[in-house]
Amino acid sequence: MATDIQDLLAFVAVVNAKGFREGARVSGKSASSLSDAVRRMESRLGVRLLNRTTRSVVPTEAGARLMERIVPALGEVEAAMDVVNDFRDRPSGTLRLNVPVSAARLVLPAIITPFLKSYPDIRLEVVTEESFVDMLAAGCDAGIRYDERLEQDMIAIPIGPRFQRFATAAAPAYLDVRGRPEHPRDLLGHACLTGKFPSGALPLWEYERDGETVSVDPSGPLIVRIGGAMDLAVQAAVDGLGVVHLFEDWLRPHLDSGALEPVLEPWWQRFTGPFLYYPGRRYLPSPLRAFVDFIHAQRGGDEPAREGVGTAGIFVN
């Protein structure tokens, strides 16, 4: 009962994208060709693999079991094909990275251009996610994550700044009217512009000074999805609507221009910078190996790779 590998790839693309239209956009195929491929597989196998509605496409139990088996297998096939790259003068192929929006905005810009100029035969695909995902199941080769705790069989190397801070800020005109907080608890009396995770959770704003840690549950007139939509909160803060709490590097242009004024700066919390993480198998696809080597060289080998010990990692967006 032979099944064409292109049909398998089409099925994986549709499941990962949760739909034929988005699967077509990501894979570069047409939605009709993906649909035909899945129908051929279902006909050959004699079982339904996907439940289709007007709003979503989700795998059946049989489809989910198939995904569990074929995703690692397809990864091995791709790795086997990539062995040929060892005989090329320059690495080539596609490198897929799964990253939070904060990393795409604050970490990758200083890396992407010099990397791609150094390896012109590599194509880089960056997928942004706002929540923890199975990077391999999502069809990516590696990811960027904050917090060095990793899943088992994952390797992590430092990438980008080793330490960052969360900053709190507001427009000077807003603070002239509402007053300048002297303690994090004073924020409870302010209009706070907040973010929400895809899960629906509203993160606390956390502060630390002289051994004292304070968590604030902010509220205010604007809530945005954490990630790219945080630019709306930043602009609202610049426009004088309220107080924003975000990566210092994200707010830095507005702080430097004076459009935003630092709030509670002695309390700003410092945290460890991000890590590039990838499977700890012996053989790495040549584009990923080139990227890992590039990051090591860029950092001067100042910090060793870390191995996962089975603890799930957490994105800080």
Side-chain angles (χ1 to χ4, degrees):
M1 187 183 298
T3 297
D4 191 284
I5 191 169
Q6 293 302 320
D7 289 352
L8 291 173
L9 292 172
F11 169 69
V12 171
V14 171
V15 173
N16 284 336
K18 299 181 176 61
F20 288 95
R21 182 174 300 178
E22 180 64 13
R25 186 189 68 79
V26 173
S27 66
K29 307 289 185 180
S30 68
S32 61
S33 68
L34 295 182
S35 179
D36 290 342
V38 173
R39 277 198 294 268
R40 283 194 297 270
M41 287 185 60
E42 290 178 329
S43 177
R44 292 191 187 106
L45 296 172
V47 295
R48 179 178 290 275
L49 299 174
L50 299 176
N51 286 322
R52 306 162 175 84
T53 70
T54 56
R55 292 181 176 273
S56 65
V57 175
V58 295
T60 62
E61 183 177 356
R65 293 289 297 275
L66 181 60
M67 278 289 290
E68 291 176 1
R69 299 296 296 271
I70 65 173
V71 168
L74 288 173
E76 288 301 316
V77 170
E78 186 174 357
M81 297 296 292
D82 192 68
V83 168
V84 176
N85 265 323
D86 291 339
F87 295 90
R88 295 173 55 93
D89 293 333
R90 297 185 303 190
S92 68
T94 299
L95 171 62
R96 300 177 183 86
L97 298 180
N98 188 289
V99 307
V101 170
S102 56
R105 183 186 180 100
L106 305 177
V107 176
L108 289 181
I111 296 172
I112 287 178
T113 298
F115 172 71
L116 292 179
K117 284 184 176 180
S118 298
Y119 298 96
D121 294 333
I122 291 178
R123 182 177 66 175
L124 179 63
E125 180 180 341
V126 178
V127 179
T128 56
E129 296 281 355
E130 306 312 316
S131 57
F132 179 77
V133 298
D134 184 331
M135 175 262 295
L136 294 177
C140 294
D141 302 295
I144 293 177
R145 179 185 298 168
Y146 288 87
D147 196 318
E148 69 273 24
R149 293 174 297 169
L150 297 170
E151 295 174 346
Q152 193 170 6
D153 298 328
M154 288 289 175
I155 302 295
I157 62 173
I159 185 171
R162 289 326 310 134
F163 293 97
Q164 295 175 277
R165 291 194 301 176
F166 282 114
T168 307
Y174 169 88
L175 296 172
D176 289 343
V177 174
R178 299 292 297 269
R180 288 164 172 78
E182 297 180 358
H183 190 278
R185 285 189 290 270
D186 295 340
L187 291 170
L188 297 176
H190 282 263
C192 295
L193 312 173
T194 58
K196 177 189 289 187
F197 287 115
S199 64
L202 293 166
L204 300 176
W205 291 5
E206 297 184 344
Y207 299 88
E208 185 175 357
R209 183 181 185 183
D210 298 332
E212 179 185 2
T213 301
V214 179
S215 298
V216 177
D217 188 4
S219 64
L222 179 65
I223 301 174
V224 300
R225 177 66 65 88
I226 287 178
M230 289 303 298
D231 280 330
L232 293 174
V234 174
Q235 186 58 51
V238 170
D239 293 340
L241 189 62
V243 183
V244 68
H245 182 72
L246 193 57
F247 288 89
E248 179 182 2
D249 291 341
W250 200 318
L251 298 180
R252 179 48 57 190
H254 302 290
L255 294 169
D256 289 343
S257 70
L260 291 177
E261 178 182 323
V263 172
L264 298 169
E265 185 168 3
W267 288 87
W268 290 359
Q269 192 175 59
R270 190 171 184 250
F271 58 94
T272 303
F275 291 81
L276 175 74
Y277 71 106
Y278 54 92
R281 58 193 179 211
R282 175 179 299 180
Y283 182 81
L284 295 180
S286 62
L288 175 56
R289 186 170 63 251
F291 190 68
V292 170
D293 291 343
F294 182 84
I295 297 303
H296 271 305
Q298 193 178 55
R299 299 200 61 82
D302 61 344
E303 196 169 337
R306 306 187 184 190
E307 296 187 9
V309 292
T311 303
I314 301 171
F315 278 133
V316 179
N317 288 283

